[in-house]
Amino acid sequence: MNSEHSEIAFELVVPYRMQVYFTRHAFAAKNTLLRKILAGPGDFSRRIKVLAYVDDNIPSTYVDRVPLYFDTASTGIVLTALHRLPGGEAIKNDQAVLTRIYNDVERHGICRHSYIIAIGGGALLDVVGYAAATAHRGLRHIRFPSTALAQGDAGVGVKNGINFRGKKNFLGTFKPPEAIINDFLLLSSLSRVELRNGYSEAIKVALIKDRTFFEWIEQKADALNAGDDDAVAHLVRRSAELHIDHIATSGDPFESGASRPLDFGHWAAHKLEQLSDFSVGHGEAVAIGLAIDIVYSRLTGHLTAATCERVLKLLETLQFPLTHEKLTSSDASGKRRVLEGLDEFREHLGGELTVTLIDNIGSALDVHIMAHETVVAAIDELLGRKRRTVV
């Protein structure tokens, strides 16, 4: 028997173009941005079907403009349906929502030359994006992130994910949308707390990539706390730019390697969300996760005490909590349950554990070991800091 092997190999190159637009009043009759994206080269020999989903948290004054916009868009562009969906993390746990979207795709004859539009926060974008990426092996998809968190981070990437068996983003795809449209008008209806949730991801990306941006956030902390339009718009735009730059230029846009710098602070954040039954929002959880990893970086000699304090002070100035009672939760053996997040993070990555820390503002480093006793020491230090602040 011939034991030799033969091979036929071809390299497949699939180009993607990340298009992120910044505008205001995207659905105003005079705003042609969306029409141009949908029309492409402008061939209306075929109808372009659009199926839209909108987050329940978006005011009706904004949503009502959507069908009016399509009424005047073109005879070749047709809005087949617009559906409201609940926002928030709970939607990512509800398989019935996925089934509903798949049924809508089949009912309205949405094909791979049609478009699905999602207008909402990061959770809704994840679910609708996952459905779009899996129906017919991939439908054209346009995102309208509606929160500061989504416009600066969650909505401007290539990932879609839903939760499974209590694990965040256990199921997901890498499917770049056709376009991402950040309409700053959507931010005007957000509360101060909702705006703040986007600040932690901006701090994260500044810490690993851009010292100047971090210093700008420090300088503009009061304006950001007040919800100043110009300050929030700059923060969102720069945060989005840094996230997209990393995805496009890091050499690993679909995360086939072990290092994921943009997940700085996220191993603990994701576990805290799970432990709290997702009552802790993602932005707040990331701030706490950053605090843990910042103190850990100092305790392990990677970061100076002065720099550690500077970062913690900024988080506190922006009114983020640095800890949560669920971080003291233990299993039957007495082990802190948050430490399970490290194993889950390793499983999610595949292979060895890789956690991003920093050794200075704007300078990231990867470590492959997180000493459990030192993580606990970092958490307990933050708990002690909270008690001193209260006193």
Side-chain angles (χ1 to χ4, degrees), residues 231-386:
V232 172
H234 179 80
L235 177 137
V236 165
R237 187 183 181 99
R238 183 57 180 158
S239 178
E241 183 179 18
L242 288 169
H243 279 90
I244 297 164
D245 176 76
H246 178 84
I247 293 168
T249 66
S250 69
D252 190 21
F254 300 132
E255 299 178 358
S256 57
S259 178
R260 284 173 31 179
L262 294 182
D263 276 345
F264 176 38
H266 280 54
W267 74 265
H270 286 171
K271 190 61 185 180
L272 176 57
E273 290 177 81
Q274 179 186 342
L275 290 173
S276 69
D277 291 325
F278 298 98
S279 64
V280 177
H282 184 67
E284 184 176 305
V286 168
I288 294 170
L290 288 175
I292 293 170
D293 283 351
I294 288 294
V295 175
Y296 183 92
S297 294
R298 193 207 77 226
L299 292 175
T300 52
H302 295 299
L303 197 64
T304 67
T307 301
C308 174
E309 182 62 21
R310 182 179 175 182
V311 177
L312 296 180
K313 278 290 187 184
L314 177 58
L315 291 169
E316 289 175 328
T317 299
L318 291 173
Q319 302 172 19
F320 284 109
L322 302 186
T323 188
H324 190 277
E325 61 181 8
K326 288 295 183 181
L327 295 176
T328 63
S329 175
S330 300
D331 62 19
S333 69
K335 177 183 175 181
R336 297 281 181 99
R337 292 194 62 199
V338 70
L339 295 173
E340 298 168 4
L342 289 168
D343 291 331
E344 292 172 6
F345 200 65
R346 179 191 292 109
E347 176 187 334
H348 195 58
L349 290 168
E352 70 176 336
L353 176 69
T354 303
V355 173
T356 296
L357 302 176
I358 64 169
D359 55 12
N360 205 340
I361 294 172
S363 176
L365 77 154
D366 288 339
V367 299
H368 303 291
I369 296 174
M370 291 284 283
H372 287 191
E373 63 275 12
T374 310
V375 173
V376 171
I379 292 171
D380 289 345
E381 181 176 318
L382 290 168
L383 289 167
R385 183 187 184 97
K386 177 183 178 182

Side-chain angles (χ1 to χ4, degrees), residues 62-124:
Y62 188 93
V63 179
D64 290 345
R65 296 187 180 101
V66 178
L68 294 176
Y69 182 87
F70 282 96
D71 286 343
T72 59
S74 166
T75 55
I77 301 174
V78 179
L79 179 65
T80 59
L82 185 152
H83 298 294
R84 286 276 203 168
L85 291 175
E89 192 69 21
I91 191 177
K92 295 178 64 170
N93 301 314
D94 190 351
Q95 295 286 327
V97 175
L98 273 178
T99 300
R100 173 181 171 179
I101 297 173
Y102 292 142
N103 286 339
D104 291 339
V105 168
E106 193 276 333
R107 181 183 309 114
H108 296 291
I110 302 301
C111 71
R112 295 172 74 178
H113 295 284
S114 307
Y115 287 85
I116 291 185
I117 290 178
I119 308 172
L124 180 136

